[in-house]
Amino acid sequence: MQRVWTAEGLGANWSLLPEDLALLTGRIDAGKLGLAVQLAFWRRQGRFPDAEADVAPAVIDYLAAQVGVSADALEGYAWAGRSGRRHRATIIDHLAIAPFDAAAEARLRHWLTGDLLPREPGPPALEEELGLWFARNRVAWPGTYRLGRILRSAQAAHDDAALQRVADRLDGGLRERLAALLGEDRDGTAYARLAADPGRVGLDSLLAEIAKLDRLRALALPADLLRDLHPDQAKRFRRRVAVESAWELRRHPERIRLPLLAVWCVPREAEVVDGLIELMIQITHRITVKAERRVVDALVAEAREVRGKAGILLRVVEAASAHPDGVVHEVIVPAIGAGTFEALVREARALGTPQSRRVHGAVRASYGSYYRRMMPKLLAALDFRSNNGTHRPLLDALEAIRRAEGEGRQFFRSDEIAIDGVIRPKWRDIVLEDAPGGGQRINRINYEICVLQTLRERLRCKEIWVPGAGRFRNPDRDLPADFADRRDACYARLGLPRDARAFTDALRTEMSEALAALDRGMPRNPGVRLDPRRRHPIVVSPLEAQPEPMGLGALKAEVGRRWSTTGLLDVFKEADLRVGFTDAFATAASRAATERDAVRRRLLLCLYGLGTNAGLKRLAVGPHGFSYKELLHTRRRYM
């Protein structure tokens, strides 16, 4: 039950009626308070408490104040003794509680399937709603086993009805396409490929994700296929599919197999789109980072200073003066040495070429020779949009690149594609070139690189969004439905100003003050030093160890004396015996055929194997009697 109550909540839910107070007349303190607690608890929860711990302390204090006794009087009350059982019989007569017969069970099943289960309540809410139903209808709570069977039966009927509604919307062609996902080919099954993660960042993984997206879109699933499914119910169905292999899915009858696959495929398309966009963002970042590293390494190798330049210059001048009509490689090169001459050329090149231009050259080489293959497939698979007209040039640039695919052109005319809002100012002289007949033209490969870099930035801040995506969806969908009418209230609730300039000014002030504090404190901070030779020049000393708490050493010694050879798995098992944390793990399947005690032991082994990084295969060789397949089955179904 709820453990924290406000004064208003106590008054609304735990106040005794005048006839209740009359029922308590003539009883001693412990019996009076115990009867009052059981009576109020049944009115609120639809059942009787098993012990004082089932009732919140605030509730006991509130009831004790109403009956005029001390809350400590409940300590001697026998909940399961004769007094407790007699008081329960009195309450049943007082409230006219009917037994849980066949008629009550029929009403409960009708309420479960028609009202409660469609709302997909969680375990705490389900228990709360059940208690309120029994209290409202004044029906005795049945046994735990019987109630559990009724709940499982009603849940199964509710799920079967939902799957049948989905199955009724599948036409013959769609059924064939869904069934083909489970068909075997030389690479396994299409379902296994669709369920696989993108893998390592690279062009191959991006192309594989595009193939997944094409396969999902080829199913042509109706947009309203899941229109009357609760989101939590759809999640349960998806989890049920995700833990099963294609072989296990084929074992289900068609009325269950096909709608389950359809429920799994609908949100899977959005997940694949998100993964595809994330791969594109990471690849674009990766191209630039790798190019910067290569350029920095090359600059370090080339920019070694040639010593004695004054003497070298003197020898060059003397050789040129002595032989003014001589050839360079016959006069000057022998005077300073071929190696020194090449070193001077490398140093001049390293100091004369801007680093940004060299980075862009490395990016162009990597993109043009390898990664450029992703651009047409990416633009064909995704549709980029924006709600802000400021970003229209970028969308126009993507459309121009899409139209130019297959034309074989190396350049664009400067008047046919967007430049402002797409190309950074520092890249303009690289992208814009002089045309042979006059005017300017745009280098296509360089332009595509700039478009990808700008698209990456806009996608990360959701200025550009993609239809059908999940994380990169239309940001307006994340706003409240009435945001336009309650804009001021929403900004006030977030503590943000409506004026963008005020927001940026406050942020700039905060950052300036933080940098000023860093500038003032770092020179006098003995725990921080600067080392320009390091890649990350700010070096922070580790914190000093705090003093050991008093008594910790004695506690360690006592634990070691009592349980010197106790293993971690035994401690883990004892913790579960005390608090029962493995009960929180529920199966993703429609039912559980394995006994709960075996499931608990398997869960402990799985959690121990994963938590210690020992692995399930290593634990499977123990004397517990569970095979690796059984442990793997429990991990997939419950974890």
Side-chain angles (χ1 to χ4, degrees):
M1 67 168 294
Q2 182 178 334
R3 308 303 296 179
V4 179
W5 292 88
T6 62
E8 294 79 6
L10 290 171
N13 295 277
W14 298 97
S15 296
L16 297 174
L17 302 177
E19 56 268 24
D20 299 336
L21 296 174
L23 187 66
L24 305 176
T25 304
R27 302 179 185 274
I28 60 174
D29 291 353
K32 182 183 295 185
L33 183 55
L35 178 58
V37 170
Q38 293 212 69
L39 174 60
F41 193 90
W42 202 98
R43 263 214 180 93
R44 177 78 178 110
Q45 303 293 126
R47 61 183 179 88
F48 293 110
D50 296 324
E52 183 179 352
D54 293 342
V55 190
V59 173
I60 296 177
D61 294 339
Y62 183 72
L63 293 172
Q66 292 184 74
V67 300
V69 300
S70 173
D72 297 335
L74 204 60
E75 294 180 358
Y77 184 70
W79 297 89
R82 287 189 303 171
S83 297
R85 294 195 301 270
R86 187 172 63 253
H87 291 166
R88 293 183 182 185
T90 303
I91 294 171
I92 290 174
D93 293 338
H94 175 68
L95 297 178
I97 299 174
F100 189 75
D101 52 13
E105 180 177 342
R107 296 201 307 273
L108 176 61
R109 288 180 178 273
H110 179 74
W111 173 73
L112 286 172
T113 57
D115 184 19
L116 181 60
L117 294 180
R119 290 183 272 135
E120 288 293 322
L126 177 62
E127 184 178 358
E128 179 78 10
E129 291 283 351
L130 281 173
L132 292 175
W133 186 89
F134 282 104
R136 185 169 58 251
N137 292 273
R138 297 199 176 187
V139 177
W141 193 283
T144 303
Y145 178 76
R146 184 181 180 186
L147 182 60
R149 284 179 61 95
I150 294 172
L151 289 176
R152 288 191 295 271
S153 175
Q155 184 71 63
H158 172 62
D159 290 346
D160 288 345
L163 291 175
Q164 186 59 49
R165 291 195 299 271
V166 175
D168 293 339
R169 302 189 186 109
L170 305 178
D171 56 28
L174 182 53
R175 288 174 178 270
E176 293 179 0
R177 293 190 294 271
L178 288 172
L181 296 179
L182 303 178
E184 294 282 351
D185 54 30
R186 62 181 182 180
D187 298 325
T189 63
Y191 164 73
R193 292 191 291 272
L194 291 176
D197 292 331
R200 297 180 59 184
V201 178
L203 179 61
D204 294 337
S205 57
L206 185 138
L207 298 178
E209 289 300 295
I210 292 177
K212 287 183 189 178
L213 185 59
D214 293 340
R215 183 62 184 264
L216 287 169
R217 288 176 174 172
L219 295 175
L221 295 169
D224 60 345
L225 185 63
L226 310 181
R227 62 176 178 269
D228 55 354
L229 252 67
H230 193 281
D232 292 339
Q233 187 180 34
K235 288 181 182 179
R236 286 196 294 106
F237 288 155
R238 293 198 65 235
R239 184 183 173 209
R240 180 176 170 182
V241 177
V243 300
E244 294 187 354
S245 63
W247 177 81
E248 291 170 319
L249 285 172
R250 285 195 294 264
R251 299 176 61 196
H252 295 301
E254 184 178 295
R255 63 179 180 84
I256 294 177
R257 178 175 65 251
L258 295 184
L260 279 178
L261 271 176
V263 173
W264 180 81
C265 288
V266 169
R268 182 59 181 161
E269 182 176 339
E271 293 175 354
V272 173
V273 172
D274 287 339
L276 181 59
I277 298 173
E278 190 64 39
L279 279 174
M280 186 270 294
I281 290 174
Q282 293 180 15
I283 287 175
T284 305
H285 177 67
R286 184 179 183 179
I287 296 173
T288 306
V289 170
K290 292 180 69 175
E292 288 177 349
R293 290 176 181 173
R294 287 198 299 267
V295 169
V296 169
D297 293 340
L299 285 173
V300 171
E302 295 173 2
R304 294 172 181 169
E305 182 179 1
V306 180
R307 300 180 180 275
K309 291 190 183 69
I312 295 173
L313 179 61
L314 177 61
R315 292 198 298 273
V316 169
V317 172
E318 290 177 347
S321 301
H323 304 85
D325 299 328
V327 183
V328 173
H329 72 273
E330 295 177 355
V331 177
I332 297 179
V333 174
I336 62 176
T340 304
F341 191 82
E342 293 177 358
L344 286 170
V345 172
R346 287 196 300 269
E347 181 180 352
R349 184 186 299 115
L351 298 176
T353 305
Q355 181 179 350
S356 60
R357 185 177 291 272
R358 301 189 66 175
V359 169
H360 188 85
V363 171
R364 176 190 169 90
S366 178
Y367 173 77
S369 62
Y370 182 67
Y371 287 104
R372 195 184 181 197
R373 289 184 292 161
M374 76 177 179
M375 180 62 85
K377 296 183 180 295
L378 185 69
L379 294 180
L382 300 179
D383 181 20
F384 299 97
R385 299 183 185 179
S386 177
N387 300 329
N388 192 338
T390 306
H391 310 298
R392 187 69 242 176
L394 179 59
L395 301 181
D396 294 338
L398 292 170
E399 183 60 29
I401 295 174
R402 183 184 289 112
R403 289 195 307 266
E405 179 59 31
E407 297 180 0
R409 290 195 294 165
Q410 298 181 7
F411 301 95
F412 291 117
R413 297 194 314 273
S414 59
D415 59 346
E416 67 175 321
I417 57 175
I419 297 177
D420 295 333
V422 178
I423 304 175
R424 301 177 185 177
K426 66 178 182 179
W427 299 125
R428 283 179 174 268
D429 58 338
I430 298 175
V431 177
L432 294 173
E433 301 178 359
D434 293 331
Q440 288 185 320
R441 63 184 180 181
I442 295 177
N443 187 295
R444 181 176 174 181
I445 294 181
N446 293 345
Y447 186 74
E448 290 179 3
I449 294 173
C450 293
V451 168
L452 275 178
Q453 292 173 340
T454 306
L455 179 62
R456 174 181 177 269
E457 296 175 357
R458 306 283 170 82
L459 282 170
R460 294 180 66 193
C461 58
K462 290 192 175 184
E463 293 173 342
I464 300 292
W465 55 274
V466 178
R471 290 188 294 115
F472 297 96
R473 63 183 179 271
N474 186 354
D476 288 348
R477 291 174 50 191
D478 300 330
L479 295 175
D482 57 348
F483 178 74
D485 300 329
R486 298 179 56 250
R487 183 183 295 268
D488 293 335
C490 291
Y491 274 89
R493 183 76 177 271
L494 294 172
L496 297 175
R498 285 286 305 273
D499 183 17
R501 182 60 61 92
F503 174 76
T504 55
D505 289 345
L507 186 61
R508 185 180 294 107
T509 301
E510 181 182 355
M511 296 177 66
S512 300
E513 292 176 353
L515 288 173
L518 178 66
D519 185 57
R520 291 192 303 269
M522 182 175 289
R524 295 186 295 273
N525 190 340
V528 181
R529 60 186 177 89
L530 298 178
D531 188 354
R533 298 170 299 176
R534 295 168 57 97
R535 181 180 178 184
H536 303 289
I538 300 179
V539 182
V540 181
S541 303
L543 298 177
E544 297 181 359
Q546 296 184 356
E548 186 176 276
M550 295 180 58
L552 182 59
L555 183 60
K556 290 181 179 179
E558 182 63 19
V559 171
R561 185 185 67 81
R562 293 192 183 190
W563 303 291
S564 57
T565 59
T566 301
L568 178 60
L569 185 57
D570 294 326
V571 177
F572 207 42
K573 180 188 70 175
E574 183 65 24
D576 184 51
L577 292 175
R578 290 175 181 266
V579 301
F581 65 86
T582 54
D583 294 335
F585 291 85
T587 179
S590 58
R591 60 186 180 89
T594 309
E595 294 183 359
R596 188 65 198 183
D597 183 63
V599 172
R600 179 178 292 107
R601 294 166 60 195
R602 293 184 192 179
L603 278 171
L604 290 174
L605 291 170
C606 292
L607 292 170
Y608 177 79
L610 296 176
T612 60
N613 206 26
L616 302 186
K617 288 186 177 179
R618 188 171 297 175
L619 290 178
V621 301
H624 44 68
F626 298 125
S627 65
Y628 169 69
K629 287 188 176 181
E630 289 174 328
L631 295 180
L632 184 61
H633 178 274
T634 300
R635 179 186 180 277
R636 293 179 62 187
R637 291 294 190 280
Y638 288 85
M639 299 175 60

